[in-house]
Amino acid sequence: MSLPGQDKTSGLAACLMMLLILLAFTAHALFSPALSGQRLAAGFARFGDLQAAGVRESDLPLIAQGIAGYLRGEKEAPQVNILRHGVMQPAFSQRELEHMPDVKRLTDWGQLLWRFGLGLAGLLAALALRAWVIRDPGFFPLMGKSLLAAFLLFMAFLSGLFIWALMDFTGLFYQLHLWLFPNDLWQLNPAEHLMIQLMPEAFFMDYALSALRRMAWLLLALPLGAGLWFLPSRRAK
């Protein structure tokens, strides 16, 4: 299978494939930290209100491992028993436990998208190798144009979200929850529920910025890669 050199349909298909790969990498950057108990515990310690939560800092890794283990599919529930306000008790309320399947659904979809993106990247690599072997003169210029188009579309989307976050992160945060969750179980009480006490808005703001930092190398490399593929064809003309 090869993508014909200047065929518009092939160009659109290649652009779509590269856009899906970018979205897959974004999903990986966003959701992979939620599967790491160590990263979650660090976020809890940095942004959580331990006094309001009534928990010891030494118990944060246990709480984080409960959540991360559940999201990885290793536990049936994220519940753990901890010393809270001086009493040994379950960490999470029934409402918090009922909310977690919605969160797990997101992380599961994110992991599925990531694997799908890796498959598409492998397919493009195989097509590129074949084009190099048969000396297809149109393949790499087409890939360069498609990569640049996918990058510009992705950056337009990302820039829109970034501007919205700068103007009103709380509004964006609220709207994303309305889009992503089919119910209101995510609306937790900061005076009562441990999850919101350990993961306030500042936690998620830092979470989003960390995801952008993990993606920075890719966002810098894509225009360079597009240029390396596209510019030689321009010079040849």
Side-chain angles (χ1 to χ4, degrees), residues 13-209:
C15 180
L16 178 60
M17 290 173 68
M18 291 180 179
L19 191 57
L20 286 172
I21 291 172
L22 286 173
L23 291 175
F25 189 85
T26 303
H28 179 69
L30 281 173
F31 294 125
S32 60
L35 307 179
S36 168
Q38 184 176 1
R39 291 184 181 180
L40 286 180
F44 296 166
R46 185 178 177 187
F47 297 103
D49 187 346
L50 303 190
Q51 183 174 0
V55 299
R56 301 171 299 185
E57 186 170 351
S58 59
D59 283 333
L60 295 182
L62 176 63
I63 299 169
Q65 287 296 342
I67 295 174
Y70 171 73
L71 295 178
R72 290 194 303 266
E74 298 170 0
K75 299 181 59 177
E76 293 185 2
Q79 189 68 278
V80 294
N81 290 318
I82 58 170
L83 190 67
R84 190 176 182 195
H85 299 295
V87 179
M88 185 62 67
Q89 59 183 288
F92 305 118
S93 67
Q94 186 61 34
R95 184 178 181 87
E96 291 167 293
L97 294 177
E98 290 175 357
H99 171 55
M100 286 304 294
D102 294 329
V103 178
K104 189 175 188 303
R105 193 174 300 112
L106 282 181
T107 58
D108 287 347
W109 274 105
Q111 292 182 80
L112 181 62
L113 180 58
W114 171 238
R115 296 188 187 102
F116 182 68
L118 289 178
L120 287 180
L123 175 60
L124 284 177
L127 291 173
L129 178 60
R130 183 178 185 277
W132 180 76
V133 170
I134 67 174
R135 299 295 191 267
D136 182 350
F139 181 87
F140 291 102
L142 177 66
M143 290 298 101
K145 294 175 184 178
S146 299
L147 179 58
L148 183 59
F151 172 75
L152 293 176
L153 287 172
F154 181 75
M155 286 303 299
F157 169 73
L158 201 62
S159 298
L161 288 180
F162 186 73
I163 292 171
W164 188 354
L166 287 178
M167 295 176 62
D168 182 15
F169 182 84
T170 299
L172 173 61
F173 185 70
Y174 185 85
Q175 188 60 55
L176 286 175
H177 279 72
L178 292 179
W179 286 335
L180 296 173
F181 297 118
N183 50 57
D184 65 352
L185 292 173
W186 58 272
Q187 296 181 342
L188 303 175
N189 184 354
E192 175 185 352
H193 295 119
L194 181 64
M195 283 188 182
I196 195 65
Q197 291 168 339
L198 295 183
M199 293 182 281
E201 188 175 299
F203 173 94
F204 289 100
M205 186 179 296
D206 181 76
Y207 191 101
L209 290 174

Side-chain angles (χ1 to χ4, degrees), residues 4-15 142 146:
Q6 300 299 324
D7 185 77
K8 291 183 179 180
T9 302
S10 296
L12 290 174
C15 180
L142 177 66
S146 299

